[in-house]
Amino acid sequence: MKEITTVTVIGAGDMGHGIAQAALLGGLTVHLYDTADESLQRGVGKINDSLEILHRKGKIQDEEMKRCKANLHPTLDFREAVTRSPFIFEAVPEILELKQRLYRDMEAIVSKDTIFASNTSNMRITEIAKNLQHKDRVVGAHFFNPVVLMKLVEVIRGDETSDETMQVAYDLCLKMKKTPVRVEKDSPSFIVNRVNAPVRVLLGGIVDKEIAKPEEIDALMKFNGEPMGHFELSDYVGLDVLYDSGQYRQQVLHADYAPYEKLAEKVKRGDLGKKTGKGFYDWADGRPTIDVNKRTDKLKMSDIDLVKLNEAAKLIEEGVATPADIDLAMISGTGDKVGPIEKHQGINVDDAIRRLELLAERLDKEVLQPANILTDKPEAVFVLEGQR
Ligand SMILES: NC(=O)c1ccc[n+]([C@@H]2O[C@H](COP(=O)([O-])OP(=O)(O)OC[C@H]3O[C@@H](n4cnc5c(N)ncnc54)[C@H](O)[C@@H]3O)[C@@H](O)[C@H]2O)c1
């Protein structure tokens, strides 16, 4: 198995500069490439600023900062960038044709064992690698934003990714001081985004049916210790972004993931959340105040948890990831303190199934129906600690 000491990062934007910085902090030499000089300079500037902050906070010493800066090689020369390292992280915009063209151009000039790792949020790795001669060398390496703070990397196996490519990518993420988890099937939305997706269906459905208001649901979540309510967080992320991901999942996963009505209305009106000053909340005077005394009693916090467990069970059933990796991903990729499997150890599974069926019927959403594995083989979900 080859030991990687040099990597190339293609795209110096939000994610690319963060991946480059993580590689530098992991002791690697980094060639950072972008097609736009301005983006490249901005990316380098952000890396330097962030290193200075880490240094000031005492998280890295003089020597390490100097080494990181000396090991960063920004370039606008494509050939130079891609031929100088055995491992290439790709972080260009989420446009399939753009990625496919880039991989074809890279394959034409690199050696046949150079590994390509895509930071795609949603696309199938198999699809990105479709036109290549050596598809076994393409893998997903899905980092979370901001990369410098977020530990998780979902390492995704495409249909033709080799074991060696998976292992090299996994080991490299460890070297970069990240927490990799294995996504063993090229399944849309991978782990974290997939486990969270039906929560939007549940809460969007409740709001659309006017069972509870967004601020009442957020009050319930904050009362239960969540740092942000679901709708506050939606405003923060951008309602247009959630609208697009809903449309994407509607096509590739299930029709129930279509953007819910209240979300679609806001996007149509141009109320996109924090960035436009208005979404589910008014952000003109800063972060909204949520009164926990106005929390809804039409929904339980445990309903939200159960929906996450159910989706985690579907991932296990589909062979996408192990229970241990799902829990690890949810802890290191979100604010969750306990993973969905661990949280539900010892529950009454029949009761959980019945509650999920009720939620699905009440909201008329098939995706909330209990996973078959909860009935057929629950022991494969609730794996005992020692066996994980
Ligand atoms: N932003 C996030 O929160 C986030 C999280 C996880 C994954 N992702 C994924 O990471 C990837 C990059 O997203 P981002 O947010 O960093 O985008 P971004 O727009 O901030 O950066 C993309 C960079 O790629 C450059 N670029 C465009 N075409 C190029 C090419 N042919 N060769 C080299 N560079 C090129 C652009 O100049 C830009 O600097 C996307 O696939 C995205 O889905 C994003």
Side-chain angles (χ1 to χ4, degrees):
M1 202 79 65
K2 58 182 164 190
E3 160 92 18
I4 307 286
T5 56
T6 305
V7 297
T8 291
V9 180
I10 307 280
D14 284 344
M15 298 305 289
H17 90 269
I19 295 170
Q21 184 178 342
L24 291 167
L25 290 168
L28 297 150
T29 296
V30 178
H31 297 278
L32 179 61
Y33 168 79
D34 203 294
T35 41
D37 190 29
E38 201 191 331
S39 305
L40 185 64
Q41 297 313 327
R42 202 180 315 121
V44 171
K46 283 185 181 169
I47 294 173
N48 286 332
D49 290 350
S50 174
L51 288 172
E52 300 280 351
I53 293 171
L54 292 176
H55 181 249
R56 234 180 292 132
K57 288 186 175 166
K59 297 202 169 150
I60 56 171
Q61 303 308 313
D62 292 355
E63 271 310 296
E64 192 174 2
M65 188 170 71
K66 273 190 212 142
R67 180 180 49 71
C68 286
K69 287 187 176 179
N71 283 348
L72 176 62
H73 304 284
T75 179
L76 291 165
D77 184 328
F78 181 67
R79 177 173 285 274
E80 179 188 306
V82 300
T83 53
R84 292 209 170 163
S85 40
F87 196 105
I88 301 177
F89 286 109
E90 168 269 307
V92 304
E94 192 80 340
I95 304 164
L96 182 61
E97 299 71 40
L98 173 69
K99 291 195 196 268
Q100 285 176 332
R101 196 174 344 113
L102 171 69
Y103 283 69
R104 261 204 318 269
D105 292 348
M106 291 197 291
E107 185 172 60
I109 54 175
V110 300
S111 74
K112 72 174 179 9
D113 49 3
T114 302
I115 293 177
F116 303 152
S118 179
N119 187 48
T120 177
S121 310
N122 275 311
M123 286 168 187
R124 295 190 72 228
I125 305 306
T126 313
E127 200 57 31
I128 293 173
K130 196 169 93 180
N131 303 316
L132 300 189
Q133 298 273 325
H134 303 284
K135 302 179 179 59
D136 56 307
R137 58 154 107 187
V138 186
V139 66
H142 183 221
F143 289 76
F144 285 66
N145 195 6
V147 180
V148 67
L149 294 180
M150 301 298 288
K151 284 280 188 200
L152 179 64
V153 186
E154 294 175 331
V155 179
I156 305 133
R157 189 192 286 277
D159 289 356
E160 308 207 32
T161 309
S162 70
D163 290 345
E164 181 175 352
T165 299
M166 279 296 278
Q167 194 61 46
V168 172
Y170 186 92
D171 290 346
L172 182 60
C173 292
L174 285 178
K175 201 168 185 177
M176 290 162 68
K177 299 173 187 154
K178 294 292 172 196
T179 304
V181 296
R182 290 171 197 278
V183 181
E184 287 292 350
K185 268 205 182 144
D186 201 359
S187 164
S189 302
F190 317 130
I191 300 175
V192 169
N193 292 339
R194 171 86 184 267
V195 169
N196 282 331
V199 173
R200 200 167 302 138
V201 175
L202 170 78
L203 302 182
I206 289 179
V207 166
D208 278 353
K209 287 195 183 297
E210 300 185 345
I211 296 169
K213 296 195 178 97
E215 57 273 24
E216 293 169 341
I217 296 173
D218 282 1
L220 174 78
M221 294 178 79
K222 292 203 71 149
F223 180 77
N224 282 281
E226 295 288 326
M228 262 192 178
H230 176 85
F231 295 94
E232 185 187 9
L233 182 61
S234 301
D235 270 2
Y236 193 83
V237 170
L239 301 187
D240 52 335
V241 175
L242 298 180
Y243 183 90
D244 289 347
S245 60
Q247 277 199 320
Y248 168 77
R249 288 195 189 103
Q250 169 187 15
Q251 286 162 21
V252 297
L253 279 169
H254 194 286
D256 286 350
Y257 286 110
Y260 53 95
E261 283 165 30
K262 290 276 191 302
L263 175 76
E265 279 166 21
K266 300 226 176 269
V267 171
K268 210 180 227 169
R269 243 185 276 134
D271 293 338
L272 306 181
K274 185 172 182 256
K275 62 185 160 193
T276 60
K278 204 167 170 217
F280 286 103
Y281 294 95
D282 196 330
W283 290 76
D285 298 324
R287 203 174 158 179
T289 314
I290 292 161
D291 182 355
V292 295
N293 294 317
K294 299 206 171 130
R295 62 189 178 277
T296 178
D297 60 0
K298 303 283 188 308
L299 170 80
K300 293 195 192 81
M301 195 63 204
S302 58
D303 292 331
I304 298 176
D305 292 336
L306 211 47
V307 164
K308 287 193 199 176
L309 167 73
N310 192 37
E311 204 61 22
K314 289 183 191 172
L315 287 175
I316 297 164
E317 183 177 302
E318 292 164 21
V320 175
T322 63
D325 271 0
I326 293 171
D327 271 5
L328 185 59
M330 294 308 289
I331 292 167
S332 46
T334 74
D336 291 358
K337 294 194 179 57
V338 190
I341 315 287
E342 180 80 44
K343 189 164 207 157
H344 293 88
Q345 287 290 345
I347 58 160
N348 179 332
V349 179
D350 290 339
D351 181 52
I353 291 171
R354 194 182 47 78
R355 282 177 60 192
L356 285 163
E357 281 169 350
L358 277 175
L359 283 175
E361 278 158 28
R362 186 178 171 204
L363 297 171
D364 193 20
K365 299 289 182 195
E366 197 184 17
V367 282
L368 301 178
Q369 285 289 354
N372 292 333
I373 197 172
L374 287 174
T375 310
D376 302 344
K377 211 178 170 198
E379 66 279 11
V381 176
F382 301 104
V383 181
L384 292 175
E385 194 55 40
Q387 301 166 339
R388 298 168 124 210

